[in-house]
Amino acid sequence: MSAFLPVMSVVVALATIGAAFVAIRVDSLPVAILSAGAVSLFASVLFLILAAPDVAMTEAAIGSGLTTFLFFFVLGRVGGGEQDND
């Protein structure tokens, strides 16, 4: 059981780095928003592994949930970044 937490921490850290790389390099805005939300969700899992459940709950609610919703709401309001040709 003692080797499980370090291995799990490394796996979640690598998943966080991978999701961050996808958020930076992808051309699609919805995919970038989802992967940025995944980075925040993986960070909240790391906080749980580090025995900080209050920080993990806040990160999951605000960082992953509310911020992702707000990005999608704004993306819908601005028309998805499309150009007007009027």
Side-chain angles (χ1 to χ4, degrees):
M1 186 72 176
S2 64
F4 178 71
L5 288 179
V7 170
M8 190 63 164
S9 297
V10 169
V11 168
V12 173
L14 290 175
T16 304
I17 293 169
F21 184 75
V22 169
I24 292 170
R25 299 297 294 172
V26 73
D27 291 330
S28 173
L29 285 176
V31 173
I33 292 170
L34 285 176
S35 56
V39 168
S40 183
L41 192 62
F42 290 140
S44 67
V45 171
L46 279 175
F47 287 134
L48 276 177
I49 292 172
L50 294 172
D54 52 342
V55 178
M57 287 175 45
T58 303
E59 180 68 26
I62 302 299
S64 183
L66 185 63
T67 304
T68 304
F69 169 76
L70 186 63
F71 280 153
F72 274 117
F73 177 75
V74 170
L75 186 66
R77 295 286 289 176
V78 298
E82 299 170 0
Q83 297 289 333
D84 288 335
N85 293 330
D86 293 344

